[in-house]
Amino acid sequence: MRVNRILLSSALVVVALVIQVSVLARLHLPGAVPDLMLLTVLGLALVYGHMGGALVGFGAGLLADLAPPADHAAGRYALVLCVIGYLAGLAKPESGRLKSATGPMVVVVAAAIGSTLLYAGVGALVGDTAARHVGLGSLLFTAALYDLLLAPFVVPGIMALARRAENDPLADSGSGAKATDISSGWLSGGTGLKIGSQRNGLRVKAARARMARAGRIKGVKRL
């Protein structure tokens, strides 16, 4: 991997791990915990491709395995994120741009379910039966739900940062607007709402209101 990829990936993974351990893990939500580490790996894999995604996933997972208060065998989560990063990298957009929110949303749901199943499967091989006691069905549903709700606020921003670090032509001076467009697509993709159209409609209504107000003022002056 390039030096800029290593530096950016390391910084993002460390920040994600700190937030994961200090904030998300203490929310005590029912079922699973929102997996910010997984979303970080997905965002980088969608820009770096399958090999970069596998390397980032392995490094992120190994760091999570070694960071307290980890209570599982080292290398278990590294294997999971390595596989997920590789598979997610295969879904990298050919043009480098997200044309719709549907594809990435499917990737997030599949990654959340796949990582939970793979983590539980590896745990079963080493004698960890915690998933059985909690309920695998509940874990799968809540993991997919939490990650899907968190993804629009994480993945587009990480992809924009990765493109900028790559000196990608897509990440030019208008990258902020493009990141906003991607986020809008993620937020509106599941509801069918067109945020850009709504903004244009509001602008037209405001302009009409100003014109009507100006007409009333002129009519008063003439009287």
Side-chain angles (χ1 to χ4, degrees):
M1 295 180 68
R2 300 175 183 175
V3 175
N4 53 354
R5 287 188 178 188
I6 296 175
L7 294 177
L8 177 63
S9 301
S10 301
L12 291 175
V13 166
V14 170
V15 172
L17 179 62
V18 171
I19 297 176
Q20 181 79 38
V21 173
S22 61
V23 179
L24 298 179
R26 299 185 180 183
L27 294 179
H28 300 294
L29 296 173
V33 176
D35 198 339
L36 186 59
M37 295 286 285
L38 174 65
L39 297 179
T40 301
V41 171
L42 291 180
L44 293 173
L46 289 173
V47 176
Y48 295 158
H50 58 283
M51 291 304 298
L55 292 174
V56 172
F58 179 81
L62 186 60
L63 185 62
D65 286 332
L66 299 177
D71 56 354
H72 54 268
R76 181 176 169 184
Y77 199 47
L79 173 62
V80 172
L81 287 188
C82 180
V83 173
I84 296 299
Y86 180 87
L87 296 177
L90 296 176
K92 174 185 176 182
E94 295 181 0
S95 62
R97 299 174 64 178
L98 295 177
K99 296 181 180 180
S100 68
T102 304
M105 288 170 66
V106 172
V107 171
V108 170
V109 173
I113 295 176
S115 62
T116 303
L117 288 174
L118 186 57
Y119 187 84
V122 175
L125 293 177
V126 297
D128 184 358
T129 59
R132 296 181 182 177
H133 300 293
V134 176
L136 186 58
S138 174
L139 284 177
L140 292 175
F141 175 75
T142 53
L145 178 63
Y146 296 154
D147 291 348
L148 190 59
L149 293 176
L150 187 60
F153 307 99
V154 177
V155 178
I158 289 178
M159 293 181 66
L161 289 173
R163 290 198 188 105
R164 182 173 291 247
E166 288 281 290
N167 295 320
D168 194 307
L170 294 175
D172 54 8
S173 58
S175 60
K178 291 175 182 176
T180 303
D181 293 339
I182 293 174
S183 301
S184 300
W186 274 74
L187 293 173
S188 62
T191 60
L193 299 176
K194 296 182 179 179
I195 296 178
S197 300
Q198 290 179 341
R199 291 176 178 173
N200 293 333
L202 292 175
R203 292 175 182 174
V204 172
K205 290 180 181 180
R208 289 177 179 175
R210 287 195 296 268
M211 293 175 62
R213 191 180 302 110
R216 290 196 297 268
I217 294 174
K218 290 181 180 179
V220 172
K221 289 182 177 179
R222 289 177 181 176
L223 293 175

